[in-house]
Amino acid sequence: MWPRINDLRAMELGTPDDFRTELNSLVLCGKKTATTGLLTEYIKEGEILEHAGERLALLDVRGTQVATIEITDVQLLNFIDVSWEHVIAEGEGDVSLDGWRVAHTRYWRRLGTIVEDSTQVVCLMFRLI
């Protein structure tokens, strides 16, 4: 089960270190309005997918709420089908779709998950409240 803060499900971006701090900063300044997660993480944690209109508590490395975001769109896709528009909305400075795929494949591999073209990912679009 993912953490709940003030009756909101929590959103924890990246890993609980400087990477999360960097990603949260991108959200807070308006550059990051999307993120991508693995469907297997939802299944493992017994969580349902977010839905448009749902509000989430954005947490920092200490588990403290730093913002509230509202989901504007949810797409369940194969990893290979993530669009360039989604990558741009992630706001992390990727310069190509292939580069984004390589970086995300490496990231998830470090966390113990091998990602292939057919791996199901959850693409979330959101806005800062």
Side-chain angles (χ1 to χ4, degrees):
M1 218 42 176
W2 293 343
R4 301 314 200 249
I5 305 289
N6 300 321
D7 294 325
L8 299 176
R9 282 201 286 177
M11 167 74 69
E12 296 176 294
L13 298 172
T15 49
D17 51 26
D18 289 343
F19 186 45
R20 179 169 298 156
T21 301
E22 177 186 338
L23 294 176
N24 283 351
S25 294
L26 292 171
V27 171
L28 295 173
C29 76
K31 289 183 181 178
K32 182 172 184 62
T33 58
T35 193
T36 307
L38 297 170
L39 180 60
T40 55
E41 292 175 358
Y42 288 80
I43 294 168
K44 183 172 85 176
E45 295 289 329
E47 288 289 341
I48 61 171
L49 296 182
E50 293 84 354
H51 61 327
E54 182 177 7
R55 291 186 175 190
L56 304 172
L58 183 65
L59 304 185
D60 66 12
V61 297
R62 295 178 311 276
T64 302
Q65 183 175 354
V66 295
T68 301
I69 59 172
E70 182 177 74
I71 301 299
T72 59
D73 190 39
V74 180
Q75 293 184 347
L76 183 59
L77 301 171
N78 288 332
F79 181 65
I80 194 70
D81 295 326
V82 174
S83 71
W84 177 237
E85 291 75 21
H86 183 80
V87 170
I88 292 169
E90 283 198 356
E92 297 174 32
D94 292 288
V95 296
S96 74
L97 194 49
D98 286 338
W100 177 87
R101 287 184 184 124
V102 167
H104 278 68
T105 299
R106 256 190 230 135
Y107 169 76
W108 284 318
R109 185 180 302 127
R110 280 195 319 269
L111 297 178
T113 301
I114 303 300
V115 173
E116 299 174 344
D117 289 351
S118 62
T119 299
Q120 294 273 278
V121 294
V122 180
C123 295
L124 300 175
M125 296 290 295
F126 56 83
R127 68 183 182 94
L128 185 61
I129 300 296

